[in-house]
Amino acid sequence: MRPARRRPRRPERRARIAALLVRAYPRSWRERYGDEVLAWVGEGGLGPARALDLVRGAMDARLHPELVEKGLIRMVERLRGSVLGVLCGYAVFVVAGAGYQKLTEYEDFTAAANRHAALGATSRTIVVASVVALVAMVVAGAPIGLATVRQALAGRRALWRPLGLVALALLWTAGTLALMAWRGRSSPLPPGTMASVSEVAGWLASLLLAVTVGVAAAVTAVRRSELGLGLLRLGTAAVAVVAAAMLVMLGATVWWGLALRSADPALFHSHEGIRASSTVASWASIVALMTASTALALRAGVRGLAANRRPSG
Amino acid sequence: MAPADLSSLRRFAEPSLFILSSLAGGPKHGYAITREVAELGGPSLGPGTLYSALARLEKLGLIEALPAEARRRPYRLTSAGAELLRTELGRLARLSATGLRRLGTA
């Protein structure tokens, strides 16, 4: 005998019907009032008369689309998209930047930077631009993050899971870095061996997983949160600075490779790359990753600045 | 620009007057407005009528939305909304006084 299908309980059924009726409204109206109507139905219930009232409301909203400020909603979404686009680009860029840091920390490269002014200048440029990018990212991200956490604490349940995942990703990253440091101090494996390569690959996979989960969860949380226009305008301006700083760092990294090739061709063509790989391959991979992430951030930053210039009314 | 009266809102004029009166007591979210309008003796506002009226009042600058709390968003009266409500209630008070006087009950 086929088991009886469970009938949804009355509040669930009511919520489903209300969600279906709200879909009859124009999209801009749903984005502005949809959540509120569903909250209203959650408190007040939904009988046939109220369902009919919603249908009449949907017809009215379609006859009077001018009632909802479409332009304002689109602008808010563009500004939010700009901040999130640069955040994603920056996260990838940081991974590439860590690769550059790892590549240039070897003694041969620090000695070359001391010998050749051009190499030293690129390193200093990257340090200054990375500090500018970090400060701008904090200026953009801290108020948005605080607003999101405040809304979660005020009972916005949709934010609980993504914010929990962000916290978990941060703990995971800190734990991985601490374990890496402890392992490096206690019994480091000789570089170039299979065991060493596997260990490094494991650490990298762990960090990449944490960063990917953390960024995806942060993006979800910010998309679900209610952010004021002022906060998003500030965020958009700050992330434009981040994108510009990324472009400067990309230029300096390209310049570093070209300067090394002309100043010390033997070192450039050696196998002093990350974990004793080809220097050229390591540099080219880092530049490729930086180029992709900078292109993403610049596109998002420019779109945000264009939206920011428009009047808000 | 705020209108001189609520007549341009046609079938939403009466619900709007009750909504403005409810918000005169402080910011409220949608369902709290509906409940108070019923307590004030106003029409029974379904969600469709309520949010159609709120959208019009917001568009006219008579009320403004405050940051959402969970999925509920409180609204408050603007100074233009308070001014218009005062005018409308004054007109109704004069009408009421005149009508009652003529009936000999005031």
Side-chain angles (χ1 to χ4, degrees):
Chain A
M1 196 176 130
R2 208 166 52 171
R5 234 186 346 181
R6 188 179 72 88
R7 270 173 75 84
R9 284 183 301 154
R10 184 169 285 189
E12 289 174 28
R13 224 175 29 238
R14 203 167 60 195
R16 275 190 212 168
I17 295 169
L20 208 66
L21 290 172
V22 166
R23 289 199 69 79
Y25 281 82
R27 189 175 169 200
S28 57
W29 197 97
R30 285 202 308 269
E31 285 171 354
R32 172 64 184 83
Y33 296 107
D35 268 1
E36 292 176 61
V37 169
L38 294 177
W40 191 103
V41 170
E43 282 185 272
L46 184 74
R50 286 172 176 175
L52 197 65
D53 187 58
L54 272 177
V55 173
R56 282 184 74 193
M59 285 165 61
D60 175 64
R62 292 206 173 268
L63 286 171
H64 300 282
E66 76 284 355
L67 286 175
V68 177
E69 300 280 6
K70 269 188 203 167
L72 184 62
I73 290 174
R74 204 175 297 136
M75 180 177 176
V76 164
E77 287 317 309
R78 279 200 182 148
L79 295 179
R80 193 198 303 259
S82 163
V83 172
L84 293 177
V86 177
L87 169 71
C88 292
Y90 182 69
V92 176
F93 195 95
V94 166
V95 173
Y100 171 82
Q101 170 63 27
K102 190 78 192 149
L103 174 67
T104 54
E105 74 183 10
Y106 294 132
E107 232 172 69
D108 293 351
F109 293 107
T110 51
N114 289 334
R115 277 198 311 274
H116 305 286
L119 287 173
T122 57
S123 301
R124 282 192 296 279
T125 305
I126 288 171
V127 168
V128 171
S130 65
V131 171
V132 169
L134 183 63
V135 170
M137 195 38 110
V138 170
V139 169
I144 290 175
L146 279 176
T148 306
V149 169
R150 210 175 293 135
Q151 284 170 38
L153 293 177
R156 203 178 176 93
R157 282 166 168 260
L159 297 175
W160 291 1
R161 191 181 292 180
L163 285 180
L165 278 173
V166 170
L168 191 68
L170 286 174
L171 283 173
W172 186 267
T173 307
T176 306
L177 290 174
L179 273 174
M180 281 170 76
W182 170 77
R183 187 84 175 96
R185 275 197 312 271
S186 61
S187 52
L189 293 168
T193 61
M194 197 58 201
S196 162
V197 170
S198 309
E199 187 180 350
V200 170
W203 294 130
L204 278 180
S206 174
L207 283 175
L208 280 177
L209 181 69
V211 169
T212 307
V213 169
V215 170
V219 167
T220 306
V222 172
R223 286 185 75 90
R224 288 180 182 175
S225 60
E226 187 89 24
L227 300 171
L229 197 58
L231 208 61
L232 287 170
R233 278 184 188 276
L234 170 72
T236 308
V239 295
V241 175
V242 175
M246 287 166 67
L247 186 63
V248 170
M249 285 189 274
L250 169 63
T253 307
V254 173
W255 182 19
W256 177 87
L258 299 177
L260 182 68
R261 192 178 64 167
S262 69
D264 194 340
L267 183 57
F268 184 70
H269 293 289
S270 67
H271 275 72
E272 294 290 337
I274 297 168
R275 303 304 294 184
S277 64
S278 155
T279 307
V280 178
S282 290
W283 172 69
S285 309
I286 289 164
V287 167
L289 205 54
M290 282 184 173
T291 304
S293 53
T294 304
L296 172 68
L298 279 175
R299 184 172 172 269
V302 168
R303 284 169 69 102
L305 284 180
N308 222 347
R309 272 205 298 274
R310 290 190 191 116
S312 58
Chain B
M1 197 182 141
D5 57 41
L6 291 172
S7 58
S8 63
L9 299 185
R10 297 166 191 270
R11 75 178 175 97
F12 295 103
E14 191 201 2
S16 296
L17 183 62
F18 278 94
I19 291 169
L20 293 176
S21 299
S22 166
L23 293 180
K28 284 175 199 73
H29 60 78
Y31 190 63
I33 294 173
T34 302
R35 257 192 347 228
E36 202 177 72
V37 166
E39 283 167 20
L40 290 171
S44 169
L45 292 178
T49 305
L50 173 71
Y51 281 95
S52 292
L54 286 176
R56 283 169 168 80
L57 293 172
E58 205 180 354
K59 177 86 176 166
L60 292 171
L62 301 175
I63 63 169
E64 63 188 358
L66 296 171
E69 298 159 354
R71 290 198 305 177
R72 304 188 311 185
R73 186 193 294 274
Y75 292 86
R76 77 170 162 215
L77 207 56
T78 62
S79 52
E83 186 57 37
L84 189 135
L85 179 63
R86 200 168 287 121
T87 307
E88 288 281 342
L89 293 179
R91 191 175 57 80
L92 286 174
R94 283 195 300 280
L95 173 69
S96 166
T98 306
L100 289 171
R101 200 174 52 243
R102 288 179 180 175
L103 287 169
T105 52

